[in-house]
Amino acid sequence: FGSYLSSFLRGVSVNEITMLKTKDEERFRVVESILEMDSMEGNERGDSDVGVHEEITSTSISAIPRQVPRTVVDLQVSCRWVLPVDARDSCLEWTSVVVDQGTIVAVLPTAQALQIYDPREEVSRPESVLLPGFINAHTHTAMSLLRGLCDDEPLHQWLNNTVWPIEGEFAHQDGFCYDGSLLSIAEMIRGGTTCFSDMYWYPGETARAARDSGIRAALGIGLIDFPSRYASTADDYIARGREVAEEFKLLSTLSFTYAPHSPYTVSDSSWSTLGELARGEGRRMHAHVHETQTECDASLALDKANPLCHRSDHASTPLKNLERMGILGDNFVAVHMTALTDEEIEICARHKLHVIHCPTSAMKLASGVCRVSDLLDAGVNVALGTDGPASNNSLDMIEEMKTSAILGKLASRDPTRLSARTCLRMATINGAKALDIDQVTGSLESGKAADLVIIEIGTRAGTSPVFHPESTIVYSSSSGDVSDVWVHGRRLLAHGKLVTIDEPKLLERVRGWAKKLESFSKERVASNGNTVNVTA
């Protein structure tokens, strides 16, 4: 107890401690005397800031009587700063988050928390920021096994010549999607991501990886209007996905969305079917929409010879066609949206769509720039995603925040747009809103799940000095600064080490997949194979 409180009296003023006086006169006198002694020692040393208590000892602090009885809880996490990402965009100092049975029960000053609660586990990080876990609102986790296999190509060429043929050969193989998903999850946990929204083949494998690791996830019931090893018809795709959702329905950290791939791979009839199901079951619909200008132009011209033309008989942009069919609503999550007119932004606002911005992937594929500032101005909820690890090529939400902020400023020619605070909201609470879990996670507030991340700042050259923690996180920190992660109160990362994933064994399996993928790719190049083969 003494060493714990000693860490948190550093930088705490006498005025902050006097709150104890109303609760216990004896405690107040002891703490005040300690502060006075330290102030005198500081004056003798010539310290200008007598409010810094570096010399308080564990012995002296242990003399402070405890309130009896204190409330027993599971966990208390205390940091120099706390960014709860609440409605006020608060930045709290010397604050604790108290957790019991996986739920946040209090966010309060550390000095007060020490008097009220008796935690079974205490985590003290006086050089760090505590904030809600990041929410990666769009990715394809199992594609981590394809990372770096083929880069620097246009979207459709990349899909047609590399991704789809490889998926046709490997995705159905035992362990491929599980290992790829777990590899992505390990990376995301290390980077402070506590929840992700996924769209990929064999969602049951990703569900098992999420369950085994403890991360939160919203998994797509995928549909593409091509036969594959996974399913042969639209009804088959839907049935298989719903079986997985039923299997994992009791796992509170998993939810399921309907995930039609895109307008250029899904027909109007399939869109209509999924729209009715999503509304009837209260699920989100999660899809790639307006990924490129070519997709929009080809659909508007109804150029069926272009593979990016939407699979509809109506000449319009994909978004307007979805509006015509009555698909759009506040349960619709549109990913990418790099080609939008003013009218289409108004459509997004009118139907209360959620837009997922994936800036790094969009830049790497030269797909276009999402008009994020204009969407936010129109009242549209915009969240952040990394896209898949084969098109990004990382799953680093801290990097995504910085990229989003800088790209947004450049695109608008206005350095005030997409501030650090805005991007932090996009990476947390806005993602929770998009996935319809904002009553569960996305901010640090009483009653919400304890999805927590600690980021160390101010202790290395790249993050020092610290004036505004949110700016340091967005513009200066990296995933390597993440030290601790919890999901629903369960610790997944401790002092930078994965707790729930055996990384060496996982990497051994990954190396095995890499050899097989490299051999397959070399054989395709030798045979000049370049045809679409959607047979996952």
Side-chain angles (χ1 to χ4, degrees):
F1 174 75
S3 61
Y4 175 80
L5 184 54
S6 178
S7 297
F8 283 94
L9 284 178
R10 288 183 288 176
V12 181
S13 67
V14 174
N15 288 336
E16 290 176 290
I17 295 298
T18 55
M19 69 178 69
L20 302 178
K21 187 171 185 178
T22 60
K23 293 186 176 293
D24 192 306
E25 186 72 26
E26 181 183 1
R27 280 189 200 86
F28 172 78
R29 286 198 302 270
V30 173
V31 173
E32 187 176 47
S33 66
I34 293 170
L35 296 176
E36 288 174 352
M37 283 192 303
D38 190 57
S39 296
M40 288 187 290
E41 291 176 4
N43 288 336
E44 292 174 0
R45 293 191 305 268
D47 294 348
S48 58
D49 184 358
V50 296
V52 177
H53 311 292
E54 298 287 353
E55 303 303 320
I56 295 178
T57 66
S58 299
T59 302
S60 59
I61 294 299
S62 64
I64 302 176
R66 299 188 182 199
Q67 177 175 307
V68 180
R70 295 188 297 165
T71 302
V72 176
V73 292
D74 291 333
L75 173 68
Q76 180 175 311
V77 183
S78 305
C79 288
R80 174 69 173 83
W81 301 276
V82 173
L83 297 173
V85 194
D86 55 14
R88 299 180 301 278
D89 280 328
S90 305
C91 178
L92 310 175
E93 297 189 59
W94 303 107
T95 295
S96 298
V97 171
V98 182
V99 178
D100 197 50
Q101 296 183 1
T103 300
I104 297 171
V105 297
V107 180
L108 73 174
T110 296
Q112 185 178 353
L114 290 168
Q115 298 298 308
I116 299 173
Y117 295 102
D118 183 12
R120 295 183 179 90
E121 181 184 6
E122 300 176 13
V123 176
S124 164
R125 297 286 187 273
E127 304 288 352
S128 298
V129 184
L130 178 64
L131 65 158
F134 301 125
I135 297 175
N136 186 348
H138 177 72
T139 189
H140 312 280
T141 51
M143 293 184 76
S144 61
L145 294 177
L146 278 64
R147 186 194 335 252
L149 188 60
C150 180
D151 295 309
D152 310 321
E153 289 187 350
L155 173 64
H156 189 68
Q157 181 179 330
W158 175 72
L159 288 171
N160 186 72
N161 294 351
T162 301
V163 174
W164 287 338
I166 287 176
E167 289 177 341
E169 181 69 21
F170 286 93
H172 69 283
Q173 293 186 26
D174 185 44
F176 183 87
C177 287
Y178 178 88
D179 287 341
S181 296
L182 196 62
L183 182 63
S184 287
I185 290 168
E187 179 185 357
M188 286 191 284
I189 291 172
R190 283 192 182 281
T193 293
T194 55
C195 178
F196 67 95
S197 179
D198 201 63
M199 175 195 290
Y200 204 61
W201 310 98
Y202 302 93
E205 296 299 291
T206 303
R208 281 180 270 282
R211 177 200 61 195
D212 294 348
S213 66
I215 199 169
R216 192 181 300 278
L219 306 178
I221 298 172
L223 190 152
I224 188 169
D225 272 323
F226 297 104
S228 69
R229 285 193 174 98
Y230 176 69
S232 57
T233 66
D235 288 343
D236 287 344
Y237 280 100
I238 294 168
R240 290 206 62 177
R242 294 178 76 179
E243 287 174 4
V244 175
E246 179 67 19
E247 179 184 352
F248 290 92
K249 68 179 181 180
L250 298 181
L251 189 57
S252 64
T253 51
L254 292 187
S255 60
F256 289 83
T257 67
Y258 282 108
H261 177 266
S262 65
Y264 59 85
T265 58
V266 177
S267 65
D268 282 0
S269 61
S270 294
W271 279 106
S272 295
T273 298
L274 288 183
E276 292 178 9
L277 287 172
R279 284 189 295 272
E281 298 172 14
R283 297 190 193 277
R284 289 296 201 240
M285 287 188 72
H286 171 199
H288 305 104
V289 183
H290 286 215
E291 198 165 358
T292 64
Q293 186 64 53
T294 302
E295 173 192 339
C296 297
D297 293 344
S299 301
L300 186 59
L302 207 60
D303 179 8
K304 294 296 185 73
N306 191 316
L308 294 180
C309 177
H310 65 180
R311 294 171 62 84
S312 172
D313 292 328
H314 293 266
S316 72
T317 63
L319 188 69
K320 289 185 178 180
N321 189 52
L322 294 173
E323 183 186 38
R324 178 190 64 80
M325 291 189 291
I327 302 297
L328 303 183
D330 62 2
N331 70 327
F332 194 90
V333 181
V335 181
H336 297 307
M337 301 288 270
T338 65
L340 289 173
T341 64
D342 291 345
E343 180 185 2
E344 287 164 340
I345 289 176
E346 193 277 329
I347 289 173
C348 293
R350 184 167 68 248
H351 293 286
K352 299 181 180 179
L353 267 62
H354 306 271
V355 172
I356 310 303
H357 180 37
C358 303
T360 302
S361 175
M363 289 193 297
K364 183 171 180 283
L365 292 168
S367 299
V369 180
C370 181
R371 294 171 59 182
V372 175
S373 293
D374 294 333
L375 286 163
L376 291 172
D377 288 345
V380 178
N381 180 51
V382 181
L384 282 178
T386 60
D387 205 2
S391 65
N392 183 300
N393 292 15
S394 67
L395 301 169
D396 188 338
M397 286 294 288
I398 297 177
E399 179 182 80
E400 220 64 39
M401 286 191 291
K402 181 175 182 177
T403 302
S404 178
I406 293 173
L407 180 61
K409 296 173 192 303
L410 177 63
S412 63
R413 301 293 194 273
D414 183 350
T416 68
R417 305 313 302 265
L418 295 192
S419 67
R421 285 187 176 183
T422 297
C423 291
L424 182 58
R425 296 187 72 85
M426 289 166 61
T428 53
I429 189 63
N430 288 13
K433 291 176 180 177
L435 303 182
D436 197 24
I437 55 173
D438 54 304
Q439 297 304 309
V440 176
T441 189
S443 60
L444 303 184
E445 299 176 90
S446 295
K448 288 195 174 185
D451 295 356
L452 317 174
V453 171
I454 295 178
I455 302 177
E456 186 173 310
I457 60 175
T459 59
R460 64 176 179 86
T463 60
S464 300
V466 178
F467 298 108
H468 305 287
E470 66 276 14
S471 292
T472 301
I473 289 171
V474 172
Y475 295 125
S476 304
S477 67
S478 68
S479 59
D481 296 316
V482 175
S483 64
D484 301 86
V485 173
W486 292 261
V487 171
H488 200 64
R490 180 186 181 189
R491 203 168 191 175
L492 309 187
L493 189 75
H495 301 281
K497 296 183 179 180
L498 293 167
V499 175
T500 58
I501 297 174
D502 188 333
E503 192 171 20
K505 287 185 178 179
L506 171 61
L507 294 178
E508 183 178 350
R509 299 197 300 273
V510 168
R511 284 189 286 270
W513 287 117
K515 290 179 181 179
K516 294 178 182 179
L517 286 161
E518 186 174 27
S519 176
F520 176 77
S521 298
K522 287 180 178 178
E523 289 176 4
R524 277 185 54 79
V525 171
S527 62
N528 294 318
N530 60 357
T531 58
V532 176
N533 182 26
V534 186
T535 54

